[in-house]
């Protein structure tokens, strides 16, 4: 087996983060790599970092929350929620991910000094805003001896800002190849003189439907419910799901992400494995999530997507790639007809297979196979 080290955002306590990490690891293993996930957490995403971020937010409020005692108590509450949520996702990470020892930023430069394949990608790894600034480590700045590639890295925005452009160019110049998740990311790299980037599928789509069923031990059957996976407050999404339930006489199952101000109840403490099962078995899916969209497509479900308030380029990109822009709903196209529109998954599955072959060819080029 060949050694490989993956640096990604595996530590965020959400389904997309841990499942794309698992998918990346599985995909690399299919090419004979013994892939370890580098167990590094950026500072503002640690337990202490979460407290500091929320304390800063509350201190800048224009109400009672800005008082030190209230800022402290509210930030502590956010920290406690973070700890509780970590228990669920840490269990998955322990069971399904091969992690290195925990390392801090300085240790990246001393621990990973052996020749190997080093991979960065995918979920938000190059998103300046999401990461709280430019982080050289996510451009593999610590790698001195080895092959560097980018696997479906995400910028999340339409352009690199001026503060990071020169740094991005400097660190990407010696990558063997660069692949990104969004078409807009290819354009953003072209704008700063990096012309060899290619758009590829998110790692969760590099694994086929059957790969997921086998890996997560899923039951391949459809049940009578509408799945709602919602990351943002949006009454239009909630109303659409409720109306769909009335028209189809199907119950709604919503995966809990936070407390919503509507009448739809949420299921809490859903494991990532159960998350996959719920997507595979749903008759309809309503979401505003990129990975909700990706799993809907991969599992050949009938789905509807509402545009989130930010980082929506990744959703638009995968829908454009699959010629499914009609699934993205807004105030002008929500009507009864969209419910009855069929999805030609024979055509879409051919697109996915073609895109998988494209990445396979790049991976084979590393060894000349």
């Amino acid at each position: 087996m060949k050694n490989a080290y993956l640096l990604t955002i595996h530590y965020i306590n959400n389904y997309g983060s841990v499942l794309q990490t698992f998918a990346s690891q599985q995909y690399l293993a299919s090419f004979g790599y013994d892939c370890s996930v580098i167990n590094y957490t950026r500072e503002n995403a640690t337990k202490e970092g979460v407290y500091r971020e929320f304390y800063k937010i509350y201190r800048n409020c224009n109400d009672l929350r800005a008082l030190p005692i209230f800022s402290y108590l509210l930030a502590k509450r956010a920290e406690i929620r973070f700890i509780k949520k970590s228990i669920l996702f840490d269990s998955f990470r322990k069971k399904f991910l091969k992690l290195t020892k925990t390392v801090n930023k300085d240790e990246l430069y001393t621990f990973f000094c052996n020749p190997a394949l080093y991979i960065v990608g995918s979920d938000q790894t190059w998103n300046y805003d999401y990461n709280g600034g430019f982080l050289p480590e996510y451009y593999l700045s610590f790698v001195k001896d080895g092959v560097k590639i980018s696997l479906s890295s995400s910028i999340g925005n339409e352009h690199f800002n001026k503060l990071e452009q020169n740094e991005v160019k400097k660190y990407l110049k010696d990558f063997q190849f660069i692949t990104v998740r969004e078409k807009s990311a290819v354009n953003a790299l072209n704008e700063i003189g990096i012309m060899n980037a290619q758009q590829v599928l998110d790692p969760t789509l590099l694994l086929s439907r059957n790969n997921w069923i086998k890996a997560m031990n899923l039951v391949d059957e459809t049940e009578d419910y509408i799945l709602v996976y919602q990351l943002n407050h949006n009454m239009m999404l909630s109303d659409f799901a409720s109306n769909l339930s009335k028209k189809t006489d199907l119950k709604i199952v919503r995966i809990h992400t936070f407390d919503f101000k509507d009448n739809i109840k949420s299921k809490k403490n859903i494991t990532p494995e159960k998350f996959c099962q719920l997507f595979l078995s749903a008759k309809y899916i309503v979401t505003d999530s990129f990975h909700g969209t990706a799993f809907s497509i991969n599992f050949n479900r009938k789905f509807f997507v509402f545009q989130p308030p930010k980082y929506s380029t990744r959703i638009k990109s995968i829908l454009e790639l699959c010629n499914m822009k009609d699934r993205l709903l807004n105030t002008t196209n929500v009507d009864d007809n969209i419910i009855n529109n069929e999805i030609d998954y024979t055509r879409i599955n051919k697109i996915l297979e073609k895109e998988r072959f494209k990445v396979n060819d790049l991976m084979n080029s590393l060894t000349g196979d």
Side-chain angles (χ1 to χ4, degrees), residues 35-281:
C35 180
S36 298
V37 178
I38 298 175
N39 201 7
Y40 166 72
T41 303
R42 69 171 192 264
E43 291 181 1
N44 65 356
T46 63
K47 175 172 66 73
E48 296 78 13
V50 167
Y51 169 80
R52 288 193 298 267
E53 289 293 310
F54 275 93
Y55 184 79
K56 186 190 304 181
I57 290 169
Y58 291 127
R59 288 287 285 153
N60 288 326
C61 290
N62 294 318
D63 52 35
L64 287 175
R65 290 175 296 176
L67 292 175
I69 183 60
F70 288 122
S71 295
Y72 168 78
L73 292 173
L74 290 168
K76 272 296 179 185
R77 184 177 67 174
E79 182 183 354
I80 291 169
R81 286 177 176 172
F82 172 87
I83 293 170
K84 289 181 177 179
K85 201 171 183 181
S86 293
I87 295 172
L88 178 68
F89 288 95
D90 282 344
S91 177
F92 178 87
R93 284 184 275 258
K94 183 177 180 180
K95 180 178 179 181
F96 286 99
L97 301 183
K98 181 181 179 182
L99 299 171
T100 69
K101 73 170 188 176
T102 303
V103 293
N104 59 35
K105 185 190 292 188
D106 292 335
E107 289 170 330
L108 284 172
Y109 291 85
T110 57
F111 188 70
F112 300 99
C113 55
N114 296 323
L117 175 66
Y118 292 88
I119 309 101
V120 61
S122 67
D123 198 29
Q124 308 286 6
T125 47
W126 293 348
N127 188 327
Y128 184 97
D129 300 325
Y130 182 79
N131 289 326
F134 178 79
L135 303 181
E137 55 268 30
Y138 284 107
Y139 294 83
L140 302 180
S141 59
F142 57 91
V143 176
K144 303 304 178 187
D145 190 5
V147 175
K148 295 187 282 188
I149 66 170
S150 159
L151 182 62
S152 191
S153 292
S154 180
I155 297 171
N157 299 303
E158 298 283 348
H159 311 279
F160 289 103
N161 66 49
K162 292 182 178 179
L163 295 174
E164 59 181 332
Q165 289 179 2
N166 289 335
E167 295 296 298
V168 171
K169 288 177 65 176
K170 178 174 72 174
Y171 288 115
L172 291 184
K173 65 183 180 181
D174 58 350
F175 272 54
Q176 185 81 10
F177 62 76
I178 298 169
T179 63
V180 290
R181 194 169 62 182
E182 300 93 14
K183 183 178 179 181
S184 58
V186 174
N187 297 333
L189 287 164
N190 287 344
E191 287 175 356
I192 62 173
I194 299 173
M195 310 303 293
N196 60 339
Q198 298 185 52
Q199 180 192 1
V200 299
L201 296 173
D202 180 81
T204 58
L205 290 163
L206 291 177
L207 298 190
S208 70
R209 182 179 187 272
N210 287 336
N211 290 151
W212 280 108
I213 290 172
K214 183 177 179 180
M216 296 284 113
N217 196 26
L218 307 179
V219 179
D220 189 7
E221 60 183 29
T222 304
E223 298 180 24
D224 291 334
Y225 63 86
I226 299 163
L227 180 65
V228 174
Y229 181 51
Q230 185 177 357
L231 302 180
N232 305 277
H233 283 294
N234 184 341
M235 285 307 300
M236 185 181 294
L237 187 157
S238 300
D239 291 343
F240 177 85
S242 296
N243 290 333
L244 180 62
S245 176
K246 292 175 183 176
K247 292 178 184 299
T248 59
D249 198 28
L250 297 175
K251 67 179 180 179
I252 295 176
V253 175
R254 176 157 67 189
I255 298 172
H256 183 269
T257 53
F258 55 86
D259 294 325
F260 293 92
K261 297 178 181 179
D262 58 30
N263 295 320
I264 303 174
K265 294 182 179 180
S266 298
K267 285 184 174 291
K268 296 185 178 182
N269 300 319
I270 298 295
T271 65
E273 304 97 295
K274 181 64 174 177
F275 173 94
C276 293
Q277 184 66 67
L278 287 171
F279 271 85
L280 181 65
S281 297

